[in-house]
Amino acid sequence: MRAASRRGNRRGERKVQPVPAYITRNIPFVAYMHEEGLERIEQQADRLIEETGMEFRDDPKALRIWKNAGADVRGTRVRLPAGMARSLCATIPASFTQHARNAARSVEIGGRNAVLAPVYGPPFVRCLEKGRRYGTMEDFGKLARLVSMLPSLHHMGLVICEPCDVPVNKRHLDMLYTHMRYSDKPFLGAITEKSRAEDSVAMARVLFGKEFMRENCVIMGNVNTNSPLLVDKVVTQAIDVYCSAGQGIVVAPFILGGAMGPVTTAASIAQALAEAMVCGAYSQLIKPGAPFVMGNFLSSMSLKSGAPTFGMPEPVASNYIIGQLARRLGVPLRCGGSLTASKLADAQAMSESADSMHSTIMGGANFVLHSAGWLEGGLVTGFEKLVIDADRLGAYQKLLAGVEVDDNALGVDAYCDVEPAGHFLGSQHTLQNYETAYYDALLSDSESFEQWTERGSKDSAQRAFEHWNTMLRHYEPPPIDPAIDEALRAFVTQKKNSMPDAWY
């Protein structure tokens, strides 16, 4: 279950070191909020579910399912009896495996595990050479290849950028084929329209085989509720398509405090919990035991301009608290990652992204979208930002592993050949641990000023630009069964030919 990373050796060469296909946490979770506070948030979420209720619009089937299950359905408003949501959520797996076509890259989502995926959804891309522009299929292909090569990204996601040069009703086919053919990591499927979700599940059956897929999760959809307290047919139909096939669904309330939720942090967290719990309950009505990931995406905003803000203390706190609530509910958690409002991969981007990502990881998120590449509030995928973020993400493998305290870690024998006032640079203990002692941040420059000047005085964005271009020059596609590849291409061609182009 391992992929390859590159670390240095004594001669400055790069040596392949094994890296797990996902992160397993060996340190305690952060207990940010006290028990009484957590209980009050849960009580408010229960009140919203039972008394205020949720709107379920544009999907009569969903209303019938709720009514048959015993919910109070009046028009499009659904209220659940006390305890119903939690009772239904009890059959959600606390953890599950999403299989990759390369078994060594399969991931475990839930429990003490963290799976990191790239940015999702931006219509624009940016790089040093071409600047900001609408994303194309060429950009998408490059980004997919980069994500497939970055060992600290465990999952492909789906919409690393929107390929805006492909018709809206057909681009999901090209994106899915790119993920399936040019990477062997796990991936997400389309959700924007029911038929596109069905196409995604059908293509997964071609790739993995009907029998294997019947018993295993190989694809997931990721959807957002329409906060506040509205679940539209995009969500219910995606849940229906994926969960009825035994596949996974991620549902994340997207709450901008003061707009789609109350301006106070605790209130928005309670609303997010209520919306996610109801969707989790609905997934289990579709198929008990279907994989479900409770999402959370809370953002603060400038009350002067209305613009979203990222890396601020309120959403950082929400990451910790929602982690505690998800563990109390016993379900896997999805949070956002390296988020920023900055337009460039600059100091603002790094500070906001670092605060957002650190709280996401330490708060216990099991599946993290937007771990790398996010710029401009999610409107832009940055090529340089992608590889800079990924370089920093590798450090979390070390951080969450904890600190060993065995004889080697304590350096019990290190003092045998080093006298007091000596040094450990050439000691046997140093040589034995040289390759694994510290995380090697490839894009950080730690050389002297003179060495840095001699090599062109390059800043981090310039180094990142050169790095991702070098990566693409050395990319090699993973092997695939030619018959499966032919079947996937035939499916895509047939589906595209069956409908006219639609651009909206």
Side-chain angles (χ1 to χ4, degrees), residues 372-405:
W374 169 294
L375 281 173
E376 206 175 314
L379 289 175
V380 173
T381 299
F383 278 79
E384 289 78 34
K385 180 72 158 39
L386 179 77
V387 294
I388 293 171
D389 285 340
D391 196 35
R392 305 309 304 176
L393 293 178
Y396 287 112
Q397 182 70 49
K398 277 270 189 178
L399 181 64
L400 294 186
V403 176
E404 293 286 345
V405 289

Short mmCIF file of all heavy atoms in Angstrom, two decimals, residues 372-405:
data_model
loop_
_atom_site.label_atom_id
_atom_site.label_comp_id
_atom_site.label_asym_id
_atom_site.label_seq_id
_atom_site.Cartn_x
_atom_site.Cartn_y
_atom_site.Cartn_z
N ALA A 372 -4.39 21.54 -1.96
CA ALA A 372 -3.32 22.18 -2.71
C ALA A 372 -3.87 22.84 -3.96
O ALA A 372 -4.74 22.28 -4.63
CB ALA A 372 -2.24 21.16 -3.09
N GLY A 373 -3.36 24.03 -4.28
CA GLY A 373 -3.68 24.69 -5.53
C GLY A 373 -4.71 25.80 -5.48
O GLY A 373 -4.90 26.51 -6.45
N TRP A 374 -5.39 25.97 -4.34
CA TRP A 374 -6.49 26.93 -4.22
C TRP A 374 -5.97 28.37 -4.20
O TRP A 374 -5.08 28.71 -3.43
CB TRP A 374 -7.26 26.61 -2.95
CG TRP A 374 -8.30 27.58 -2.47
CD1 TRP A 374 -8.08 28.85 -2.01
CD2 TRP A 374 -9.70 27.35 -2.34
NE1 TRP A 374 -9.26 29.43 -1.61
CE2 TRP A 374 -10.26 28.53 -1.80
CE3 TRP A 374 -10.53 26.27 -2.61
CZ2 TRP A 374 -11.63 28.65 -1.53
CZ3 TRP A 374 -11.89 26.39 -2.34
CH2 TRP A 374 -12.43 27.56 -1.82
N LEU A 375 -6.54 29.23 -5.02
CA LEU A 375 -6.28 30.67 -5.03
C LEU A 375 -7.59 31.43 -5.21
O LEU A 375 -8.59 30.89 -5.69
CB LEU A 375 -5.32 31.05 -6.16
CG LEU A 375 -3.82 30.79 -5.98
CD1 LEU A 375 -3.08 31.09 -7.29
CD2 LEU A 375 -3.24 31.63 -4.85
N GLU A 376 -7.58 32.70 -4.83
CA GLU A 376 -8.66 33.65 -5.15
C GLU A 376 -10.03 33.15 -4.68
O GLU A 376 -11.03 33.23 -5.40
CB GLU A 376 -8.65 33.93 -6.66
CG GLU A 376 -9.23 35.28 -7.04
CD GLU A 376 -9.12 35.58 -8.51
OE1 GLU A 376 -8.02 35.37 -9.08
OE2 GLU A 376 -10.11 36.05 -9.09
N GLY A 377 -10.07 32.65 -3.46
CA GLY A 377 -11.34 32.19 -2.91
C GLY A 377 -11.93 31.01 -3.64
O GLY A 377 -13.15 30.78 -3.59
N GLY A 378 -11.10 30.21 -4.32
CA GLY A 378 -11.58 29.03 -5.03
C GLY A 378 -11.90 29.27 -6.49
O GLY A 378 -12.37 28.36 -7.17
N LEU A 379 -11.66 30.47 -7.00
CA LEU A 379 -11.92 30.75 -8.41
C LEU A 379 -10.78 30.31 -9.31
O LEU A 379 -10.97 30.13 -10.52
CB LEU A 379 -12.16 32.25 -8.62
CG LEU A 379 -13.47 32.82 -8.09
CD1 LEU A 379 -13.49 34.34 -8.27
CD2 LEU A 379 -14.67 32.19 -8.79
N VAL A 380 -9.59 30.14 -8.75
CA VAL A 380 -8.39 29.89 -9.54
C VAL A 380 -7.62 28.70 -8.99
O VAL A 380 -7.45 28.55 -7.78
CB VAL A 380 -7.47 31.13 -9.55
CG1 VAL A 380 -6.15 30.83 -10.24
CG2 VAL A 380 -8.17 32.31 -10.21
N THR A 381 -7.14 27.85 -9.90
CA THR A 381 -6.16 26.82 -9.57
C THR A 381 -4.79 27.33 -9.98
O THR A 381 -4.57 27.64 -11.16
CB THR A 381 -6.45 25.50 -10.31
OG1 THR A 381 -7.74 25.03 -9.93
CG2 THR A 381 -5.40 24.45 -9.96
N GLY A 382 -3.89 27.42 -9.03
CA GLY A 382 -2.55 27.90 -9.33
C GLY A 382 -1.58 26.74 -9.51
O GLY A 382 -1.46 25.89 -8.64
N PHE A 383 -0.91 26.70 -10.64
CA PHE A 383 0.08 25.65 -10.88
C PHE A 383 1.20 25.73 -9.85
O PHE A 383 1.59 24.70 -9.26
CB PHE A 383 0.66 25.77 -12.30
CG PHE A 383 -0.19 25.16 -13.37
CD1 PHE A 383 -1.30 25.83 -13.86
CD2 PHE A 383 0.12 23.92 -13.90
CE1 PHE A 383 -2.09 25.27 -14.86
CE2 PHE A 383 -0.66 23.34 -14.90
CZ PHE A 383 -1.76 24.03 -15.38
N GLU A 384 1.74 26.92 -9.65
CA GLU A 384 2.80 27.06 -8.65
C GLU A 384 2.26 26.79 -7.25
O GLU A 384 2.91 26.11 -6.44
CB GLU A 384 3.42 28.47 -8.71
CG GLU A 384 4.26 28.72 -9.96
CD GLU A 384 3.44 29.00 -11.19
OE1 GLU A 384 2.35 29.62 -11.06
OE2 GLU A 384 3.86 28.60 -12.29
N LYS A 385 1.08 27.28 -6.96
CA LYS A 385 0.47 27.06 -5.64
C LYS A 385 0.26 25.58 -5.38
O LYS A 385 0.43 25.10 -4.25
CB LYS A 385 -0.87 27.81 -5.57
CG LYS A 385 -1.63 27.67 -4.23
CD LYS A 385 -1.00 28.43 -3.11
CE LYS A 385 -1.93 28.77 -1.96
NZ LYS A 385 -2.89 27.79 -1.53
N LEU A 386 -0.10 24.82 -6.41
CA LEU A 386 -0.32 23.39 -6.26
C LEU A 386 0.93 22.69 -5.73
O LEU A 386 0.87 21.94 -4.76
CB LEU A 386 -0.74 22.77 -7.60
CG LEU A 386 -0.97 21.26 -7.58
CD1 LEU A 386 -2.31 20.94 -6.94
CD2 LEU A 386 -0.90 20.69 -8.99
N VAL A 387 2.07 22.95 -6.36
CA VAL A 387 3.27 22.21 -5.95
C VAL A 387 3.87 22.78 -4.67
O VAL A 387 4.47 22.04 -3.88
CB VAL A 387 4.31 22.15 -7.08
CG1 VAL A 387 3.78 21.34 -8.25
CG2 VAL A 387 4.74 23.53 -7.55
N ILE A 388 3.71 24.09 -4.42
CA ILE A 388 4.17 24.65 -3.15
C ILE A 388 3.37 24.06 -2.00
O ILE A 388 3.92 23.63 -0.98
CB ILE A 388 4.06 26.19 -3.15
CG1 ILE A 388 5.05 26.80 -4.15
CG2 ILE A 388 4.34 26.75 -1.76
CD1 ILE A 388 4.86 28.30 -4.36
N ASP A 389 2.04 24.05 -2.14
CA ASP A 389 1.19 23.45 -1.10
C ASP A 389 1.54 21.98 -0.87
O ASP A 389 1.66 21.52 0.26
CB ASP A 389 -0.29 23.54 -1.50
CG ASP A 389 -0.86 24.94 -1.34
OD1 ASP A 389 -0.28 25.74 -0.58
OD2 ASP A 389 -1.89 25.22 -1.97
N ALA A 390 1.68 21.24 -1.97
CA ALA A 390 1.97 19.81 -1.85
C ALA A 390 3.29 19.57 -1.14
O ALA A 390 3.44 18.61 -0.37
CB ALA A 390 1.99 19.16 -3.23
N ASP A 391 4.25 20.43 -1.37
CA ASP A 391 5.55 20.31 -0.70
C ASP A 391 5.38 20.44 0.80
O ASP A 391 6.00 19.71 1.58
CB ASP A 391 6.49 21.38 -1.24
CG ASP A 391 7.94 21.11 -0.90
OD1 ASP A 391 8.33 19.93 -0.87
OD2 ASP A 391 8.68 22.08 -0.68
N ARG A 392 4.53 21.36 1.23
CA ARG A 392 4.29 21.54 2.67
C ARG A 392 3.42 20.42 3.24
O ARG A 392 3.56 20.05 4.40
CB ARG A 392 3.63 22.89 2.94
CG ARG A 392 4.36 24.09 2.38
CD ARG A 392 5.82 24.12 2.76
NE ARG A 392 6.06 24.06 4.19
CZ ARG A 392 7.27 23.99 4.75
NH1 ARG A 392 8.35 23.96 3.97
NH2 ARG A 392 7.40 23.94 6.06
N LEU A 393 2.53 19.88 2.42
CA LEU A 393 1.64 18.81 2.91
C LEU A 393 2.43 17.58 3.35
O LEU A 393 2.01 16.86 4.26
CB LEU A 393 0.65 18.40 1.82
CG LEU A 393 -0.41 19.42 1.41
CD1 LEU A 393 -1.26 18.85 0.28
CD2 LEU A 393 -1.27 19.83 2.59
N GLY A 394 3.55 17.33 2.68
CA GLY A 394 4.34 16.17 3.06
C GLY A 394 4.79 16.19 4.50
O GLY A 394 5.01 15.14 5.11
N ALA A 395 4.88 17.38 5.07
CA ALA A 395 5.31 17.49 6.46
C ALA A 395 4.27 16.90 7.42
O ALA A 395 4.62 16.47 8.54
CB ALA A 395 5.56 18.95 6.81
N TYR A 396 3.00 16.87 7.00
CA TYR A 396 1.97 16.34 7.90
C TYR A 396 2.13 14.83 8.13
O TYR A 396 1.67 14.30 9.14
CB TYR A 396 0.58 16.67 7.37
CG TYR A 396 0.24 18.13 7.54
CD1 TYR A 396 0.12 18.97 6.44
CD2 TYR A 396 0.08 18.69 8.81
CE1 TYR A 396 -0.16 20.32 6.59
CE2 TYR A 396 -0.20 20.02 8.97
CZ TYR A 396 -0.32 20.84 7.85
OH TYR A 396 -0.58 22.18 8.01
N GLN A 397 2.73 14.14 7.16
CA GLN A 397 3.01 12.72 7.37
C GLN A 397 3.90 12.55 8.59
O GLN A 397 3.69 11.65 9.42
CB GLN A 397 3.69 12.14 6.13
CG GLN A 397 3.99 10.66 6.20
CD GLN A 397 2.72 9.83 6.12
OE1 GLN A 397 1.89 10.04 5.25
NE2 GLN A 397 2.57 8.88 7.03
N LYS A 398 4.89 13.42 8.72
CA LYS A 398 5.78 13.40 9.88
C LYS A 398 5.07 13.87 11.14
O LYS A 398 5.18 13.25 12.20
CB LYS A 398 6.99 14.31 9.61
CG LYS A 398 8.11 13.66 8.81
CD LYS A 398 9.09 13.01 9.76
CE LYS A 398 10.34 12.55 9.04
NZ LYS A 398 11.31 11.95 9.97
N LEU A 399 4.36 14.98 11.03
CA LEU A 399 3.73 15.58 12.20
C LEU A 399 2.73 14.63 12.85
O LEU A 399 2.72 14.45 14.08
CB LEU A 399 3.04 16.88 11.79
CG LEU A 399 2.35 17.66 12.90
CD1 LEU A 399 3.36 18.15 13.92
CD2 LEU A 399 1.57 18.83 12.32
N LEU A 400 1.86 14.02 12.04
CA LEU A 400 0.81 13.16 12.58
C LEU A 400 1.36 11.80 13.01
O LEU A 400 0.68 11.07 13.75
CB LEU A 400 -0.31 12.97 11.56
CG LEU A 400 -1.10 14.23 11.21
CD1 LEU A 400 -2.27 13.89 10.31
CD2 LEU A 400 -1.60 14.94 12.46
N ALA A 401 2.54 11.45 12.56
CA ALA A 401 3.14 10.18 13.01
C ALA A 401 3.57 10.25 14.46
O ALA A 401 3.75 9.21 15.10
CB ALA A 401 4.33 9.83 12.12
N GLY A 402 3.74 11.45 14.99
CA GLY A 402 4.20 11.59 16.36
C GLY A 402 5.72 11.44 16.45
O GLY A 402 6.42 11.37 15.44
N VAL A 403 6.22 11.38 17.67
CA VAL A 403 7.65 11.28 17.92
C VAL A 403 7.94 9.97 18.62
O VAL A 403 7.38 9.68 19.69
CB VAL A 403 8.15 12.47 18.77
CG1 VAL A 403 9.63 12.31 19.12
CG2 VAL A 403 7.92 13.78 18.03
N GLU A 404 8.80 9.15 18.02
CA GLU A 404 9.19 7.88 18.62
C GLU A 404 10.05 8.12 19.86
O GLU A 404 10.75 9.13 19.96
CB GLU A 404 9.98 7.04 17.61
CG GLU A 404 9.17 6.56 16.42
CD GLU A 404 8.23 5.43 16.78
OE1 GLU A 404 8.41 4.83 17.87
OE2 GLU A 404 7.32 5.15 15.98
N VAL A 405 9.99 7.19 20.78
CA VAL A 405 10.81 7.30 22.01
C VAL A 405 11.52 5.97 22.28
O VAL A 405 11.79 5.63 23.44
CB VAL A 405 9.97 7.74 23.22
CG1 VAL A 405 9.55 9.19 23.09
CG2 VAL A 405 8.74 6.84 23.39
#
